[in-house]
Every structure is written in C-alpha cells, then in structure tokens.
Amino acid sequence: MKKKIHALVALTLMATTAFAQQEGTKETFLQPNEVIIESSSDSMSVTIKGRQGEPNFEYSHTVMLAQDEVTVTRERRADIQFSIPFGKKKEKKNRNNHPRIDATMRGFGVGFVDALEAPKGMNVDMGASYELMAPSIFEWAWYPGHSSFNLSIGVGLNWKNYRMTDRNRFIPEGNDILIGAYPEGAAIEFSRLKVFSWMVPMLMSYELNDWLKVRLGPVVNINTHASLKTRYSLEGKGKKETHNLQHYNRLTVDLMGAVCIKGLGFYVKYSPCDVLDVDYAPSFKGISSGLILGF
C-alpha cells in the first residue's frame, strides 16, 4: 500500500507540472514491486517496476521542469499509530526497521477469584467470587523495529470480589476484621470482600503468528476502595451488613500471564501481596483467572 501511495504522489506531481503544456493522461499501477523517483534541477522522472500480475513490467516517465519553477518534496513517516481492537483487522501489520509506538484501547475481562494462604475458617468460594476489569483503557506499546516483540504500559480498572458462602463471615470489630460464625439459626447467603483498583499493566508481548501471542508481566494495583457486605436472614427477616474498610493495602502487585488467540485472551493473575493490612485483618494472597476480549 505504501508503494502504491508513493507512485500516485509522484505521478500527481508530474501531471500537475505538465498540465499547461499538454493534454493530461492517467495511468494506474496496482501493487508495484519497486518505485524509483529521480529528480534534478531541470527534470523529474519516475520508474515503476512490476505491477499486479506482471512481475516483469517496467514503466518510465520523465517531465522536464522550467528553470524558474519551484518544486517541493515532502516525506512523512507516521511512527505513532492508534487502533481499537474491535475494529476491522488489517491484512498485515506495517512493520519496518524503525522503532514505533502504538496507542491502543484494550477490551473487557471477566474471571474468577480465589484466596491463597488464607487462615482456617476463611473459605472463599471461587465459583461465586468474580473479577471484572478493563485492563487497558489506554495502552502504549513500543515496538523495537522489525520485530514481533513489544513492551507496553497501560491504565485500567479492576474489581475483585472474595465471597464466602459457608458458615463463616467477615466481621468488622472496631478497626479489626475477623472471621467468625453467623448468628445461630441464620439462613446464610454470602459474606464478601470487594476491592476496587486502578491497574497499571506493564507487559511484554510476543506474537508467535498472526493469530497467537503471549503476554507476561507485572500489574501494579493502586487500591482506592475496599468494603465488606454480608447478607443473611434471621427469624424470617433479611439482614444486610456493610462496612467500608480503612486498613487495606493501597498498593499491590499482580503477576499476569495471558495467551491470546485472535484477540481473545486466557489470563491468570497471581498476587504475592497481602490484600488487607495484616495488622488489622487476616493475611491472604489472591489469584484469579478468566477471559479478556480484545487483548
């Protein structure tokens, strides 16, 4: 496509110069193999080698320029590109030997969450615990020239819900968070911990081919809100207990890996950091897995 544009630009310049001297002509060359443009103080010529279906085709045209005529040559290379993953896919990525930066919007993810190294009695139900995220509302990816490898950094949103559905619940007691039983005779629904975060994924990506790539790297979580909610019924009356937490870790890091097939990512995230402040709450780590569309 780039060769075709160069050829059209050159022909347009020559046609404009010669317009007052002779009747205009139009030639169209699809998919040329090589375009050579030569200019001097008194002439400009273009040579086209090969075209669609004719690899041995050759065309040459020269235009004489007046001595007092002003000519302008302009060259542009766009190294910053913007794309949306849900748009129509290009036939082939425009790779060259120059480093470039792509600005991209990534998709939406959903997965399941579990607690690791949790204390006795804290039994998170992974099937009822979920994670929602927009992994990169905006992402910058750096490509080091002609390579399938890139480095990226983005900004996104994340919600994690750790839910217990057995006999125990989260109990706020002053500044502390305890794990304890429901009142005797309670009809249990759930007790959950929710954490909201701004996420900053810093990933390395490698494209194995046009439809398969792998992504790996740390995700920094800036945790801005955490809360508890417990629902149950007692003596036929519904009970709802909510509590906003003050003692949770504001900054945590996940280790993320993903395999992406035609834009659909299968991911796993593991957090070696404690979710809550262990001086006031139980110590446990987090792990999640699921799907990301447009990743």
Side-chain angles (χ1 to χ4, degrees):
M1 182 64 183
K2 188 174 181 181
K3 293 178 180 179
K4 182 179 177 181
I5 292 174
H6 284 173
L8 291 175
V9 171
L11 290 173
T12 301
L13 288 172
M14 291 187 293
T16 303
T17 304
F19 179 79
Q21 300 176 1
Q22 61 182 21
E23 183 180 354
T25 61
K26 179 180 179 181
E27 296 284 350
T28 302
F29 304 93
L30 299 177
Q31 299 180 3
N33 295 328
E34 185 178 6
V35 177
I36 302 171
I37 301 173
E38 298 176 299
S39 62
S40 64
S41 60
D42 59 354
S43 67
M44 177 179 289
S45 65
V46 60
T47 301
I48 298 174
K49 296 183 178 181
R51 65 179 178 182
Q52 187 177 33
E54 298 182 59
N56 297 324
F57 172 83
E58 183 169 328
Y59 173 89
S60 181
H61 187 77
T62 300
V63 173
M64 303 306 296
L65 304 176
Q67 293 296 322
D68 58 350
E69 184 172 352
V70 178
T71 61
V72 178
T73 302
R74 180 177 296 170
E75 181 177 340
R76 178 183 296 174
R77 188 183 77 237
D79 284 346
I80 298 180
Q81 303 175 4
F82 179 81
S83 63
I84 300 176
F86 304 109
K88 185 177 179 181
K89 189 175 181 181
K90 296 179 181 179
E91 288 185 15
K92 191 174 183 179
K93 290 189 175 180
N94 181 22
R95 292 179 181 161
N96 51 48
N97 292 323
H98 302 284
R100 75 180 194 276
I101 296 175
D102 286 351
T104 308
M105 296 175 62
R106 294 293 178 184
F108 178 78
V110 60
F112 295 100
V113 181
D114 199 2
L116 301 178
E117 303 178 25
K120 184 177 180 180
M122 181 180 169
N123 301 313
V124 171
D125 183 355
M126 188 173 185
S129 304
Y130 58 90
E131 174 180 46
L132 301 175
M133 64 175 164
S136 290
I137 297 175
F138 209 78
E139 178 183 273
W140 293 266
W142 176 70
Y143 291 81
H146 185 72
S147 175
S148 298
F149 169 82
N150 72 74
L151 297 172
S152 65
I153 183 170
V155 177
L157 300 173
N158 186 262
W159 294 263
K160 289 181 181 177
N161 292 267
Y162 300 87
R163 182 176 293 209
M164 295 192 295
T165 56
D166 64 355
R167 297 180 181 275
N168 289 333
R169 60 176 174 153
F170 296 103
I171 303 176
E173 188 172 295
N175 289 325
D176 297 331
I177 302 299
L178 307 177
I179 303 297
Y182 287 85
E184 186 176 351
I188 298 169
E189 291 187 41
F190 66 84
S191 182
R192 68 105 176 101
L193 163 67
K194 179 175 70 176
V195 180
F196 171 78
S197 311
W198 286 92
M199 57 189 298
V200 182
M202 295 177 285
L203 305 177
M204 298 180 294
S205 301
Y206 187 79
E207 298 183 9
L208 300 174
N209 50 48
D210 290 339
W211 57 271
L212 178 64
K213 67 179 175 182
V214 293
R215 310 193 75 187
L216 179 67
V219 178
V220 177
N221 300 302
I222 304 170
N223 306 311
T224 60
H225 179 77
S227 64
L228 300 177
K229 179 187 284 189
T230 299
R231 296 183 68 99
Y232 62 95
S233 298
L234 187 63
E235 297 179 352
K237 296 182 179 180
K239 303 288 185 179
K240 181 175 75 170
E241 300 174 354
T242 60
H243 184 75
N244 291 326
L245 301 185
Q246 299 298 322
H247 300 287
Y248 59 92
N249 288 327
R250 264 56 176 188
L251 191 68
T252 56
V253 178
D254 295 343
L255 302 177
M256 182 175 184
V259 176
C260 307
I261 301 175
K262 291 186 176 180
L264 180 63
F266 301 83
Y267 78 91
V268 175
K269 285 196 300 179
Y270 166 68
S271 178
C273 305
D274 282 302
V275 176
L276 302 176
D277 186 339
V278 296
D279 290 335
Y280 300 90
S283 171
F284 69 95
K285 295 6 182 222
I287 189 170
S288 61
S289 62
L291 302 175
I292 304 175
L293 181 64
F295 199 58

